[in-house]
Amino acid sequence: MAEFLADNNPCGQYILRLVSRGNAIIAELLRLKHYIPPVFRLETKQDQQKYGEIISDFSYFKMSDDFDQKIDKNPQLQDLDEEFRENYSEILTRFYLTFESIHKYVSDLNKYLDDLEEGIYIQQTLESVLLTEEGKQTLCEALYLYGVMLLLVDLHMEGTVRERMLVSYYRYSAQQSHAESNIDDVCKLLRSTGFINCLGSKRTPNYPEDYFKRIPVNTTYVNMVLGRLRSDDVYNQIAAYPHPEHRSTALATQAGMLYVCLFFAPNILHNQTAKMREIVDKFFPDNWVISIYMGITVNLIDSWEPYKAAKNALSNTLDAANVKEHATRYSTRLQKLIPQTRQLLKEGALVEDNVLDHVNKVIYIIRECNVTLRWLMLHTAVLSITSAGNKRCKQIRDQVISDTKYKASEVFELLLNTAEFELKIKDLFKHLLMEKQKKWEACKKECVERMIELSEVFSGSKPLTRVEKIDNLKSWFSDLAKEIETLNHEQITAAGRKIVQMIQALEEVQEYHQLDSNLQVRQFLADTRRYLHQMNRTVSIKEEVLITLQIVGDLSYAWELVDTYTSIMQDGIKQDPSLVIKLRATFLKLSSALEIPLLRINQARSQDLVSVSQYYSGELVAYVRKVLHIIPETMFGLLARIIHLQTSVLKELPTRLEKDRLRELAQLEERHEVARLTHAISILTEGILMMKSTLVGIIRIDPKQLLEDGIRKELVKHIATALHQGLTFNPKAKTSELHTKLEALGKIMDGHRRSFEYIQDYVNIYGLKIWQEEVSRIISYNVEQECNSFLRNKVQDWQSLYQSQSIPIPRFPPVDGQSVNFIGRLARELLRITDPKTTVYIEQMTAWYDAKTHSEVINLKFFSKVSKSVGTAGLTGLDRLLCFMIVTELQNFLGALQKGVLKDKQWVEMFSSVSKGMTPLSGTVSNPKNFYSQFISRAQKVWPQILEWILKIGQLQLLRKHIAYELNISCKFNSKYLASALQTMNDAVLADIEAHYKDPTKPYPKEESPLLFDLANYLDWAGISNPYAKIYITTKNLQYFPLLTFLFVISQLPKLQYMKQLGTLLSRKSQEPLDGVPFVVGVQTVFRQFHPEIRNTFLLYLSQYVKSYVEISTCNKPTDLPGEVVNTLHFMENFVHHSGLPRKILANHIPDLILDEYASVNS
């Protein structure tokens, strides 16, 4: 047996590695079913409209040229296609490699069979391999696993979705093909079968046999495998189930394999009635719902419906009388086993001696429990989607439920009791096996010492009251001591027989030699017999018991079914939190299922062991979390009542109060209710903390961590819901709801935070730490998802640093057409109410005012309100989103100029003539009004669009400036040492960088150093940044850009007038709304993205404009400056101020006389 899989046997090693790979492929398929990009389903109208023209099924191969040409001709489709490729090529590659591995698996299996046939493996043929136990098992598994792969692909990945993914991979990966398996063969194998896993769908004709035929497998091999599975006990399971009634359970694994493999020989299912009768009589005489792989169940009534021979063979099993007989039998067993297991689990029942004396009885009870559980769980389970439409399936299930008087709670109780009973027996036997030799030696020593002492007593040398010297007894006891000394616990049979004989001899010697009269001798003999009995028990402790328990206790069939009992588990925990201790045994019993897929991977010493173990262990841990999540869920339900009491009912005690009001302010009943609720929460958490640390597969479950994760998950759910609901705005509302919504949200968040802080000591968690981490994670995740709309390479959920499988952040459907989530809605509502077309920003008041009513819209205090409702993380997230918006506006603005205006021949000619007319810039233009107006009017069409971009950029920058101020004030107030340390660190790093540029020998942070990135992140959070000085995008030098911007600015300045009392530029006419501050800030932000020389050129153009108008005006009224000049100088002054430039720059370009005159006008 062992020789076939030996390292030096290439024949055995090849098939072992292949089977190991098959299990790993199935694990990957099960893992990937959660990662199918929803876009490939094309379920929503939005997806169909957007991606319908770039996603195709296999019809693509008939018209690939037309399909690709259509995309190439349309720049928008081309851009979308490129974006789609960048976003999905990684996950598509992973899916394709898994699909390809299925094709490679069957190709390698066929190659192995050909090699066996051709005699490549010396002295090995298909027949000889099947004669060895391991060879028979692995060859059967190889075919079975291939069938399971095909069924799983179709079950979890719909045919059309599969085709779309394969076509997309084919298009985006330049029709790649790999060494041994190319994409054409993969597509042929995995093209759509027509199977749809949904209610009401019709069964595809000849499914799945046609699907299994796509790559033919050696017919002789298939027939021989089916022969072995039909006739042999391939895994020697019957030894663990000696009772005839348990035979179908013993062969259940083999039955699942046979079910799958029969689809490779559909002729047997259709026509060979005798074989099918044999199969049903052996494997399915009392069951028709089977598990084929890790809890994937199949109902034979539905599955074998189209196959005549199979259907007829199954009719005896499905006879109403037969169904009733089995249902009644298992129902009776259930009613008998529940009290029996309860009794056995009582304190003192499972003591060492009792168990060792009744090992066979104990194993029989465990066997009965597991067989009963298996039948009841499988045959009363909710019908699968495919079986639900079959009337016969429903009819039989209803009959079973009726005949068994099925109650889910009773089955669950038996499962709990069985799991706990098994665990106790296993732990006891493991302990006994470890202590076996030690106990044996101790008992043997006691026996030998007593025999020697008795020998000495009857020799007369040892004084003992009234015992005469008897030489025969002296010799006999001495010889017996020597015999006991020679006993060896490893020779189980011989040692056991000798011990029994010795016990009989001691009883006889006591009886015949009348030794009863002496109490001490009698006691010595009784003790020796007792120790010999103990030795006999110890020698019967075998590892085979544990192996039998492992086989019998298999719960892999319930890997998915157990989920139907989740609600019962959770109700039980709510009533009695200590139930968690019993559930631990159930989870451990379920974890034994992991051995099935891992056995061959482990034997092959495959590198897949860790990843496959991680997957199945992760799935089980996720289920444990799901069950135990009722504790934090209930806890938060109680917490909600505490929040209500603390925020709405309980009044704060004044520092001084009147004696008469003491009872009123004490609010004893309300405070008692808070105390009662708090006690209920602490009792709930106690339940989970009583559970021991448990190894589930390869993941260790720490109950404290489990509780914390559950609390985090529930907290995330509540906070995310509060943010989603609290920041939803009515677009039809006449006045903005922002202020009231933020106040309401602030109260909700404050209530959650205060109650969380209050409860932390009672549940032993770091409340504030958890609160800050999770709120920050929720905000960061939502900002990331909102920013996806600005990115080509979108961050998917499975790539996100902030999303987690164990503590998921819920996603809500978008409420409006623009924003993805609450952070987007908040940003856009803020932009709407501060729109430069409807509001005016007064810099001295740091506030926005309504342009018509002159009422205040928002001021500095507003941002502290935002901070209170969404926290520092929310403000930072909002700031980051505004950054993305600025980048998008800048890219759109400069992209449009570059593609349209600055490359257009007519525009370039116009700019050339303007440039010539203004040369040299140090001079003046002779007739400025006519000169400038002719060019401004020619560009009249583009100004409105440019103005919109500029104002939007300026508005976003102003909001960022306010957010930075609020963050900085908050940081200085709440964490002054951090603020000081960051400021000092920032100054020091900047000084070092400046020093490096002056002297390159001095140090500079290396590219791989995270210093600058991490420091910048800290500075953003602390508000130590100047948005006006930020470079958002990299730009190339655009010819005539400063000239275009100059013409644009002077075209807009006449719409503005300087308001002396407000100290700002305001719109002249209400019909042409234009806000001066966002306008100036927007223009300076655009120039900040270019080399400083571009900005200097722009200032030179403005200076020439000023000088030209002054020169003309001196002829008429030399004392007054023209309106154009005053407005331009105001603009320049603000521009220089917001750019962070020294004011003397103006003096460098404009004569002091003009500046002095301007200063006198303003004073």
Side-chain angles (χ1 to χ4, degrees):
M1 182 178 91
E3 286 178 9
F4 182 71
L5 297 182
D7 289 347
N8 59 359
N9 185 339
C11 180
Q13 281 296 305
Y14 188 97
I15 193 70
L16 176 63
R17 284 196 297 272
L18 189 66
V19 168
S20 160
R21 206 166 83 215
N23 281 297
I25 292 167
I26 289 171
E28 180 69 357
L29 284 169
L30 291 170
R31 187 186 287 117
L32 284 177
K33 72 181 180 184
H34 302 296
Y35 294 99
I36 299 170
V39 69
F40 285 101
R41 299 186 193 280
L42 293 178
E43 287 174 333
T44 64
K45 279 187 179 179
Q46 191 181 354
D47 282 348
Q48 287 167 12
Q49 288 168 359
K50 188 174 181 182
Y51 299 109
E53 292 182 286
I54 61 167
I55 294 176
S56 172
D57 54 22
F58 279 5
S59 59
Y60 166 83
F61 294 115
K62 294 176 183 175
M63 47 164 195
S64 57
D65 292 341
D66 295 340
F67 189 90
D68 292 335
Q69 278 175 13
K70 185 181 178 183
I71 292 170
D72 292 340
K73 285 177 183 175
N74 188 331
Q76 286 181 325
L77 277 181
Q78 208 172 346
D79 195 49
L80 182 66
D81 196 45
E82 185 61 28
E83 182 187 313
F84 193 80
R85 185 185 67 79
E86 287 171 6
N87 283 312
Y88 293 104
S89 57
E90 186 184 339
I91 192 73
L92 285 172
T93 303
R94 188 168 171 186
F95 269 96
Y96 174 73
L97 290 174
T98 308
F99 294 154
E100 188 188 55
S101 63
I102 299 172
H103 179 269
K104 191 170 187 315
Y105 176 90
V106 68
S107 303
D108 288 351
L109 176 60
N110 281 330
K111 180 179 177 294
Y112 175 74
L113 295 170
D114 292 343
D115 289 350
L116 269 178
E117 206 172 293
E118 290 169 16
I120 301 290
Y121 300 106
I122 298 164
Q123 296 182 340
Q124 295 283 10
T125 62
L126 185 60
E127 292 80 3
S128 68
V129 170
L130 283 167
L131 286 173
T132 65
E133 195 167 302
E134 293 283 357
K136 177 167 57 180
Q137 290 174 6
T138 48
L139 276 175
C140 291
E141 284 169 28
L143 183 65
Y144 154 71
L145 288 173
Y146 173 55
V148 170
M149 285 176 218
L150 295 178
L151 291 173
L152 279 179
V153 166
D154 232 18
L155 185 66
H156 296 302
M157 300 167 192
E158 199 182 315
T160 49
V161 174
R162 237 171 28 235
E163 288 190 359
R164 287 168 189 157
M165 290 169 81
L166 282 165
V167 167
S168 295
Y169 176 82
Y170 179 83
R171 289 184 58 241
Y172 297 140
S173 300
Q175 292 112 48
Q176 284 181 5
S177 62
H178 292 260
E180 295 173 30
S181 171
N182 63 55
I183 194 165
D184 296 338
D185 294 332
V186 175
C187 290
K188 283 173 190 170
L189 173 62
L190 293 174
R191 69 180 186 272
S192 176
T193 59
F195 171 81
I196 301 169
N197 188 26
C198 69
L199 200 63
S201 59
K202 289 185 179 179
R203 183 168 180 148
T204 308
N206 301 324
Y207 177 84
E209 55 265 36
D210 285 357
Y211 181 31
F212 280 43
K213 277 181 197 170
R214 286 179 180 178
I215 294 180
V217 181
N218 188 305
T219 312
T220 309
Y221 162 66
V222 170
N223 290 332
M224 291 186 84
V225 163
L226 288 171
R228 288 290 177 272
L229 288 171
R230 267 172 42 220
S231 58
D232 296 359
D233 176 13
V234 176
Y235 293 97
N236 304 314
Q237 296 280 292
I238 288 175
Y241 292 91
H243 202 284
E245 281 187 359
H246 300 162
R247 190 176 69 166
S248 60
T249 306
L251 297 172
T253 305
Q254 204 169 312
M257 293 172 70
L258 183 58
Y259 165 80
V260 173
C261 294
L262 277 168
F263 290 119
F264 289 99
N267 184 44
I268 296 174
L269 289 165
H270 280 295
N271 305 317
Q272 298 190 23
T273 311
K275 282 185 182 177
M276 284 313 301
R277 281 295 302 273
E278 179 198 344
I279 288 167
V280 170
D281 289 347
K282 184 175 180 180
F283 296 98
F284 311 112
D286 58 354
N287 67 98
W288 52 91
V289 181
I290 60 167
S291 169
I292 57 171
Y293 190 91
M294 290 302 283
I296 298 162
T297 54
V298 172
N299 194 315
L300 297 179
I301 303 169
D302 176 62
S303 186
W304 282 355
E305 178 76 28
Y307 308 105
K308 187 181 175 185
K311 187 180 176 183
N312 290 340
L314 200 62
S315 58
N316 285 350
T317 303
L318 298 174
D319 180 64
N322 187 52
V323 171
K324 184 168 186 175
E325 182 195 333
H326 293 303
T328 311
R329 186 170 87 241
Y330 283 112
S331 174
T332 311
R333 277 191 198 169
L334 179 68
Q335 300 307 323
K336 179 185 164 189
L337 288 167
I338 289 174
Q340 200 172 357
T341 48
R342 269 189 215 148
Q343 196 66 32
L344 285 166
L345 288 169
K346 283 184 178 175
E347 194 69 40
L350 294 177
V351 292
E352 227 172 83
D353 291 348
N354 278 358
V355 173
L356 289 173
D357 285 343
H358 305 97
V359 173
N360 290 334
K361 189 180 176 186
V362 165
I363 291 174
Y364 176 76
I365 290 169
I366 290 173
R367 203 181 283 124
E368 280 282 285
C369 288
N370 278 288
V371 169
T372 305
L373 276 172
R374 184 186 187 98
W375 197 92
L376 287 170
M377 286 180 83
L378 285 170
H379 292 85
T380 58
V382 178
L383 295 173
S384 65
I385 294 171
T386 47
S387 304
N390 189 307
K391 287 183 183 176
R392 184 80 169 128
C393 289
K394 193 172 182 300
Q395 185 186 343
I396 294 286
R397 179 176 175 265
D398 290 345
Q399 187 189 339
V400 169
I401 287 172
S402 170
D403 291 341
T404 56
K405 296 168 187 169
Y406 171 73
K407 287 181 184 171
S409 56
E410 289 180 349
V411 175
F412 173 64
E413 188 182 349
L414 181 61
L415 174 62
L416 268 186
N417 292 350
T418 306
E420 195 177 356
F421 185 44
E422 272 179 33
L423 184 62
K424 285 188 174 181
I425 297 296
K426 279 182 186 176
D427 288 348
L428 179 66
F429 265 89
K430 282 174 187 172
H431 173 72
L432 289 171
L433 278 168
M434 283 172 67
E435 300 286 319
K436 182 176 178 180
Q437 189 173 354
K438 195 176 168 184
K439 270 195 173 184
W440 171 274
E441 295 298 338
C443 291
K444 188 163 81 170
K445 186 183 174 188
E446 290 289 341
C447 291
V448 170
E449 283 176 0
R450 276 165 174 69
M451 291 299 98
I452 290 169
E453 281 185 44
L454 284 172
S455 175
E456 288 172 357
V457 165
F458 288 104
S459 70
S461 58
K462 190 163 185 173
L464 196 63
T465 316
R466 296 191 186 117
V467 174
E468 60 186 64
K469 182 180 177 183
I470 304 173
D471 288 333
N472 285 346
L473 282 176
K474 176 210 163 194
S475 303
W476 190 84
F477 281 120
S478 178
D479 291 344
L480 190 60
K482 288 173 186 172
E483 280 293 317
I484 293 170
E485 191 67 60
T486 60
L487 289 173
N488 186 349
H489 70 89
E490 289 177 1
Q491 297 169 350
I492 296 169
T493 312
R497 197 178 297 122
K498 277 186 182 179
I499 289 168
V500 172
Q501 288 170 355
M502 285 174 187
I503 291 167
Q504 287 173 347
L506 285 170
E507 286 171 352
E508 287 168 6
V509 82
Q510 184 176 333
E511 190 180 333
Y512 294 130
H513 289 274
Q514 296 174 348
L515 299 177
D516 284 353
S517 57
N518 191 302
L519 282 173
Q520 286 172 301
V521 171
R522 193 171 68 190
Q523 186 62 45
F524 265 52
L525 290 170
D527 287 347
T528 307
R529 283 200 304 274
R530 186 163 53 80
Y531 282 119
L532 284 169
H533 268 299
Q534 193 66 41
M535 286 172 73
N536 204 14
R537 285 198 198 101
T538 307
V539 83
S540 67
I541 300 168
K542 304 171 196 169
E543 204 170 341
E544 283 79 359
V545 175
L546 283 174
I547 293 166
T548 304
L549 287 174
Q550 190 67 33
I551 293 168
V552 169
D554 173 45
L555 199 64
S556 60
Y557 64 89
W559 186 256
E560 291 182 9
L561 285 181
V562 77
D563 197 23
T564 55
Y565 296 90
T566 303
S567 57
I568 300 170
M569 295 182 200
Q570 292 181 334
D571 289 342
I573 292 168
K574 278 171 88 171
Q575 290 166 18
D576 177 16
S578 64
L579 180 69
V580 170
I581 301 164
K582 281 190 170 186
L583 281 173
R584 175 178 176 266
T586 310
F587 298 143
L588 282 171
K589 182 174 171 66
L590 202 55
S591 73
S592 63
L594 268 63
E595 291 186 15
I596 292 169
L598 294 175
L599 174 67
R600 299 302 181 196
I601 295 175
N602 202 9
Q603 283 180 333
R605 295 189 287 278
S606 168
Q607 292 179 341
D608 295 320
L609 181 64
V610 175
S611 87
V612 176
S613 306
Q614 193 78 38
Y615 168 70
Y616 288 113
S617 303
E619 288 288 294
L620 186 50
V621 169
Y623 179 66
V624 174
R625 287 180 192 279
K626 180 183 175 181
V627 171
L628 299 185
H629 187 65
I630 192 66
I631 290 177
E633 199 174 274
T634 311
M635 186 183 125
F636 269 78
L638 299 170
L639 199 57
R641 287 158 70 185
I642 293 175
I643 290 169
H644 171 70
L645 287 167
Q646 285 193 327
T647 54
S648 307
V649 179
L650 293 178
K651 298 168 188 170
E652 288 209 17
L653 287 172
T655 48
R656 296 182 69 184
L657 55 98
E658 296 167 15
K659 189 171 69 174
D660 299 341
R661 293 192 64 210
L662 189 60
R663 178 177 288 277
E664 178 198 332
L665 290 168
Q667 294 180 284
L668 296 175
E669 285 185 15
E670 289 83 354
R671 290 184 194 280
H672 174 263
E673 180 65 8
V674 170
R676 192 186 66 75
L677 293 169
T678 307
H679 176 258
I681 287 173
S682 63
I683 290 295
L684 271 172
T685 54
E686 252 179 48
I688 197 168
L689 293 172
M690 279 192 278
M691 190 172 95
K692 293 178 192 171
S693 180
T694 308
L695 190 69
V696 176
I698 61 166
I699 300 174
R700 182 165 290 284
I701 293 180
D702 176 21
K704 192 173 186 304
Q705 189 60 47
L706 208 60
L707 173 64
E708 188 181 303
D709 287 355
I711 289 170
R712 283 177 183 266
K713 184 179 178 181
E714 200 60 23
L715 176 68
V716 163
K717 190 172 109 182
H718 279 76
I719 298 301
T721 306
L723 290 166
H724 171 70
Q725 292 174 349
L727 294 173
T728 302
F729 307 100
N730 180 8
K732 295 177 182 177
K734 290 180 180 178
T735 56
S736 175
E737 304 170 303
L738 189 54
H739 288 274
T740 51
K741 293 264 184 181
L742 285 173
E743 280 171 12
L745 179 61
K747 283 180 184 174
I748 292 168
M749 297 291 275
D750 187 52
H752 277 298
R753 186 182 55 76
R754 278 170 56 196
S755 298
F756 208 62
E757 280 180 22
Y758 164 76
I759 211 72
Q760 63 180 351
D761 295 330
Y762 298 99
V763 295
N764 193 24
I765 56 167
Y766 297 111
L768 187 61
K769 177 174 177 277
I770 290 173
W771 173 270
Q772 289 175 339
E773 285 176 355
E774 293 309 318
V775 169
S776 174
R777 195 166 69 88
I778 293 165
I779 300 283
S780 299
Y781 172 74
N782 281 282
V783 170
E784 183 180 75
Q785 294 306 305
E786 190 67 50
C787 292
N788 266 349
S789 55
F790 302 106
L791 298 172
R792 279 181 75 88
N793 293 344
K794 303 191 188 315
V795 181
Q796 307 297 334
D797 262 17
W798 54 274
Q799 295 170 315
S800 176
L801 292 171
Y802 309 108
Q803 188 59 286
S804 159
Q805 282 191 325
S806 54
I807 312 165
I809 299 168
R811 288 188 72 167
F812 300 96
V815 175
D816 56 42
Q818 290 178 297
S819 307
V820 177
N821 52 52
F822 71 87
I823 202 81
R825 293 197 294 274
L826 175 60
R828 287 181 177 89
E829 181 66 12
L830 197 51
L831 288 170
R832 188 181 73 79
I833 64 172
T834 58
D835 188 347
K837 291 176 184 175
T838 59
T839 60
V840 175
Y841 180 74
I842 309 298
E843 202 163 6
Q844 282 77 0
M845 305 296 288
T846 59
W848 279 264
Y849 292 87
D850 190 283
K852 290 180 181 176
T853 63
H854 300 172
S855 59
E856 190 176 78
V857 179
I858 60 171
N859 56 24
L860 267 181
K861 289 179 183 175
F862 169 82
F863 290 93
S864 60
K865 201 180 284 183
V866 176
S867 180
K868 190 181 176 186
S869 57
V870 293
T872 303
L875 268 180
T876 312
L878 185 61
D879 184 59
R880 186 166 169 236
L881 178 58
L882 295 178
C883 272
F884 271 93
M885 289 179 168
I886 292 169
V887 169
T888 305
E889 293 298 329
L890 283 167
Q891 285 173 339
N892 291 343
F893 171 46
L894 296 175
L897 289 185
Q898 203 168 352
K899 288 177 185 175
V901 178
L902 299 176
K903 282 196 175 177
D904 187 273
K905 193 178 178 183
Q906 290 180 342
W907 280 94
V908 172
E909 285 174 0
M910 184 189 89
F911 289 136
S912 179
S913 59
V914 175
S915 187
K916 282 177 186 174
M918 292 168 70
T919 308
L921 291 176
S922 55
T924 57
V925 175
S926 57
N927 187 359
K929 193 168 185 179
N930 290 339
F931 178 77
Y932 292 120
S933 59
Q934 62 172 320
F935 296 113
I936 290 169
S937 59
R938 280 168 68 180
Q940 202 66 43
K941 288 181 181 178
V942 298
W943 298 149
Q945 182 59 58
I946 294 176
L947 179 64
E948 198 171 312
W949 277 318
I950 293 291
L951 287 176
K952 188 72 175 286
I953 292 165
Q955 180 194 11
L956 290 163
Q957 284 282 64
L958 283 170
L959 289 171
R960 282 205 68 211
K961 189 78 172 172
H962 276 259
I963 289 170
Y965 177 78
E966 176 60 35
L967 285 169
N968 193 233
I969 292 297
S970 174
C971 184
K972 283 177 179 175
F973 183 75
N974 294 310
S975 187
K976 60 182 180 182
Y977 295 123
L978 175 65
S980 303
L982 286 172
Q983 188 62 61
T984 308
M985 182 70 176
N986 188 38
D987 294 342
V989 170
L990 287 173
D992 281 356
I993 291 170
E994 283 176 20
H996 169 78
Y997 279 106
K998 287 175 185 174
D999 180 4
T1001 58
K1002 290 188 176 177
Y1004 180 83
K1006 293 179 181 176
E1007 279 188 24
E1008 61 271 17
S1009 169
L1011 172 68
L1012 293 179
F1013 177 79
D1014 289 348
L1015 180 60
N1017 195 27
Y1018 273 106
L1019 294 172
D1020 284 342
W1021 276 72
I1024 305 172
S1025 59
N1026 180 9
Y1028 297 168
K1030 188 171 176 63
I1031 296 170
Y1032 291 96
I1033 58 172
T1034 53
T1035 53
K1036 293 175 184 175
N1037 187 13
L1038 298 178
Q1039 192 185 14
Y1040 300 124
F1041 176 73
L1043 182 56
L1044 170 69
T1045 314
F1046 159 70
L1047 291 172
F1048 162 69
V1049 168
I1050 61 172
S1051 74
Q1052 302 304 315
L1053 283 176
K1055 297 177 186 177
L1056 294 166
Q1057 63 179 348
Y1058 181 71
M1059 297 292 289
K1060 196 172 179 181
Q1061 58 271 42
L1062 296 174
T1064 188
L1065 289 165
L1066 292 179
S1067 178
R1068 283 180 187 275
K1069 299 175 185 175
S1070 57
Q1071 296 86 0
E1072 293 181 326
L1074 177 60
D1075 191 6
V1077 180
F1079 179 66
V1080 177
V1081 172
V1083 173
Q1084 89 79 24
T1085 302
V1086 171
F1087 276 106
R1088 177 66 70 175
Q1089 313 312 306
F1090 291 90
H1091 192 277
E1093 281 302 315
I1094 304 286
R1095 183 179 59 204
N1096 290 341
T1097 308
F1098 171 68
L1099 287 172
L1100 281 170
Y1101 285 139
L1102 285 172
S1103 303
Q1104 188 186 49
Y1105 178 80
V1106 168
K1107 288 186 285 186
S1108 300
Y1109 268 98
V1110 169
E1111 190 176 57
I1112 284 184
S1113 69
T1114 51
C1115 306
N1116 306 327
K1117 291 181 183 178
T1119 54
D1120 291 344
L1121 287 174
E1124 293 90 347
V1125 172
V1126 174
N1127 269 8
T1128 308
L1129 286 170
H1130 278 304
F1131 175 86
M1132 289 178 77
E1133 191 174 38
N1134 284 334
F1135 182 87
V1136 167
H1137 166 67
H1138 290 304
S1139 299
L1141 300 171
R1143 198 172 183 279
K1144 66 179 182 182
I1145 279 190
L1146 291 177
N1148 293 344
H1149 301 307
I1150 297 169
D1152 291 340
L1153 192 66
I1154 298 173
L1155 291 175
D1156 292 343
E1157 183 65 28
Y1158 167 68
S1160 66
V1161 169
N1162 285 345
S1163 60

